[in-house]
Amino acid sequence: MISPSASIVRKVYENFAKGDIPLVIEAFAPSITWHVPGQSPIAGDYRDRDEIVGFFKHTLALCGGIFAIEVHHVLSEENVVVALVTVKAERNGRSAGFEEVHVWRVSDGKLTAFREFQGDEQTEDRFWS
């Protein structure tokens, strides 16, 4: 049986894949925190829904809108959900796929924190820079 927290996270990825960003944002708590590691133009800490929407727009602008997340596994225990994913994007004529681990925190049915762990941070930094 899929936990309620895992269901929320799966639905967010599904809505993102459909391009339904308003539904994605609706799943976020107003004070959600978001962390992307590294030194690239998209790396950093984002602290609420508006900053995260800005992050999404900046990321999509850098890759001309060619961006997808392939979800392999979603694991959960209590209020923590871990997604094993491949992020796929194109930039400046180059295609790339990055293995990542996404860690989500859930409280009262809303996503309160996101933290990305990259399999190869230096390669991702070079791709986005």
Side-chain angles (χ1 to χ4, degrees):
M1 183 172 157
I2 297 173
S3 76
S5 295
S7 292
I8 293 167
V9 169
R10 281 189 178 279
K11 192 67 176 170
V12 163
Y13 286 114
E14 289 170 15
N15 289 331
F16 187 86
K18 291 187 284 188
D20 196 338
I21 301 307
L23 274 181
V24 170
I25 298 303
E26 188 177 302
F28 295 170
S31 61
I32 186 171
T33 60
W34 190 279
H35 175 76
V36 177
Q39 303 299 315
S40 77
I42 62 171
D45 292 303
Y46 306 88
R47 290 184 171 72
D48 60 28
R49 290 174 170 176
D50 290 337
E51 286 188 9
I52 294 166
V53 168
F55 162 77
F56 288 165
K57 288 179 180 177
H58 188 211
T59 300
L60 292 174
L62 287 174
C63 65
I66 301 171
F67 184 92
I69 300 173
E70 181 180 347
V71 179
H72 305 291
H73 298 284
V74 176
L75 314 162
S76 69
E77 186 172 318
E78 297 178 15
N79 69 334
V80 176
V81 179
V82 175
L84 306 177
V85 305
T86 301
V87 171
K88 297 178 179 184
E90 269 187 40
R91 184 147 195 261
N92 300 327
R94 292 184 9 234
S95 295
F98 304 110
E99 301 297 318
E100 294 183 353
V101 176
H102 294 170
V103 179
W104 299 87
R105 293 206 177 268
V106 183
S107 179
D108 297 323
K110 293 289 185 184
L111 300 172
T112 61
F114 170 87
R115 187 166 196 88
E116 177 180 301
F117 295 88
Q118 301 168 344
D120 186 344
E121 187 176 304
Q122 292 176 347
T123 298
E124 285 204 45
D125 280 348
R126 282 191 301 274
F127 178 80
W128 292 110
S129 295

